[in-house]
Amino acid sequence: MVINNFTGAPSFKTLNPGTASVVVKDGTTQTFFVEINDDSSSFTYEWKLGGASVKKEESVASKTTSFSYSPSVADVGTHALSLTIFDGTNTLPRT
């Protein structure tokens, strides 16, 4: 008999802000916070803004991550912020 340690895919426990569309005024700071549910003990988080990596945390034990964005006048427009969470087996994307 073989017994494997199974961990399911991570899922979101807390998303802040909880909406997919967020308006951030230039000259202010918006913090995005995520807490996950998962049985694993090590995670990789990668935040991307407009497809470019802006924050990456590898092999961390924390089930939370955050990213703070402080746009300037030069950043006016629509930008996609995404987060990918990897627990060593499964990936959880969020845009």
Side-chain angles (χ1 to χ4, degrees):
M1 175 182 348
V2 175
I3 300 173
N4 290 325
N5 181 15
F6 174 76
T7 62
S11 62
F12 292 107
K13 182 175 181 180
T14 305
L15 294 169
N16 189 6
T19 62
S21 180
V22 177
V23 175
V24 183
K25 294 181 180 181
D26 61 276
T28 66
T29 298
Q30 173 67 55
T31 298
F32 299 87
F33 173 83
V34 172
E35 182 178 11
I36 61 169
N37 290 312
D38 194 277
D39 296 332
S40 298
S41 60
S42 181
F43 306 94
T44 296
Y45 301 101
E46 184 171 19
W47 294 89
K48 290 185 178 181
L49 184 62
S53 183
V54 291
K55 181 178 181 182
K56 188 169 186 176
E57 302 167 276
E58 297 186 69
S59 302
V60 296
S62 177
K63 293 184 180 183
T64 63
T65 184
S66 64
F67 170 70
S68 293
Y69 180 52
S70 302
S72 68
V73 174
D75 297 315
V76 170
T78 302
H79 306 278
L81 177 66
S82 65
L83 169 63
T84 301
I85 302 165
F86 180 63
D87 69 1
T89 304
N90 302 289
T91 300
L92 177 62
R94 172 74 178 185
T95 300

